[in-house]
Amino acid sequence: DIQMTQSPSTLSASVGDRVTITCRASQSISSWLAWYQQKPGKAPKLLIYDGVILESGVPSRFSGSRFGTEFTLTISSLQPDDFASYYCHQYNSEPWTFGQGTRVEIK
Amino acid sequence: EVQLVESGGGLVTPGGSLRLSCAASGFSFNLFDMHWVRQAPGKGLEWVSSISRTSTYIYYADSVRGRFTISRDNAENSLSLQMNSLRAEDTALYYCVRDGRTVSVAGGNWFDPWGQGTLVTVSS
């Protein structure tokens, strides 16, 4: 099984900060990775797929990148609406696996 | 508008059974693989099971294999999850999720969209 190691588990930041969340795959997954945002009491929402492609309607302050088996979700300027939990998800091979999640809190 | 509406959750005693359903609308259901993903209270996301568009390929997480059965009815635009021999650790919000696209370049695709979930509580 492919393990997805996501860090940090919690992140405290202020509005306007640049925020970076990392997911490392235990083996190669090419670019087959998605990022989701989840707010309390809500279903996850797709932000990025295929590692770097921004889902339609998602603000351009969100971006994804890949370097080998390390993937990064970056929020260029954190907005009040961005305080939420974020998860990565590999779909290279079954069983599909998620990172443990990152909770972005207000500093 | 794409909609996924789960139902069938509830309180069940350990060893009991429950059947979850998902009603899909707003898209060509028979063209997409479908999935169940769960989230225990206060925890992260865990993939549970997947079924291909024609039910040819079915996958389960190790944690549920042999106890859960996924199925679909393309004529009714519905997805189901039969859960038997339930355990306390199966307590979670269960999401019905559509595959991100109708073709697979990788082993699979991203998950989008997600339903709002149905809560399953296993407790005596």
Side-chain angles (χ1 to χ4, degrees), chain A residues 60-98:
Chain A
S60 59
R61 62 181 179 274
F62 291 91
S63 64
S65 63
R66 170 202 171 194
F67 186 77
T69 58
E70 185 170 296
F71 296 79
T72 298
L73 172 69
T74 299
I75 309 172
S76 61
S77 178
L78 198 65
Q79 298 301 301
D81 191 50
D82 302 337
F83 291 96
S85 293
Y86 295 84
Y87 295 90
C88 63
H89 157 222
Q90 72 79 19
Y91 47 93
N92 179 78
S93 60
E94 185 267 336
W96 325 121
T97 46
F98 292 89

Side-chain angles (χ1 to χ4, degrees), chain B residues 5-114:
Chain B
V5 180
E6 303 94 335
S7 60
L11 175 63
V12 60
T13 54
S17 298
L18 215 51
R19 186 176 182 87
L20 306 184
S21 297
C22 171
S25 61
F27 66 101
S28 298
F29 182 74
N30 63 322
L31 296 183
F32 289 85
D33 295 356
M34 296 294 296
H35 315 274
W36 289 99
V37 176
R38 69 185 180 183
Q39 186 170 36
K43 302 298 183 181
L45 301 170
E46 179 189 16
W47 167 75
V48 173
S49 182
S50 300
I51 187 168
S52 64
R53 62 207 73 180
T54 59
S55 305
T56 302
Y57 301 102
I58 287 176
Y59 305 105
Y60 297 101
D62 287 346
S63 57
V64 307
R65 186 176 293 113
R67 301 187 297 123
F68 290 12
T69 301
I70 192 172
S71 61
R72 65 188 295 163
D73 184 335
N74 287 344
E76 296 291 329
N77 292 341
S78 68
L79 177 72
S80 296
L81 186 69
Q82 177 65 42
M83 305 186 297
N84 298 331
S85 303
L86 282 162
R87 306 166 179 167
E89 54 265 35
D90 296 319
T91 294
L93 188 63
Y94 285 73
Y95 291 104
C96 170
V97 192
R98 194 191 74 175
D99 215 42
R101 56 188 164 192
T102 57
V103 294
S104 293
V105 178
N109 291 306
W110 60 93
F111 295 163
D112 182 65
W114 300 56

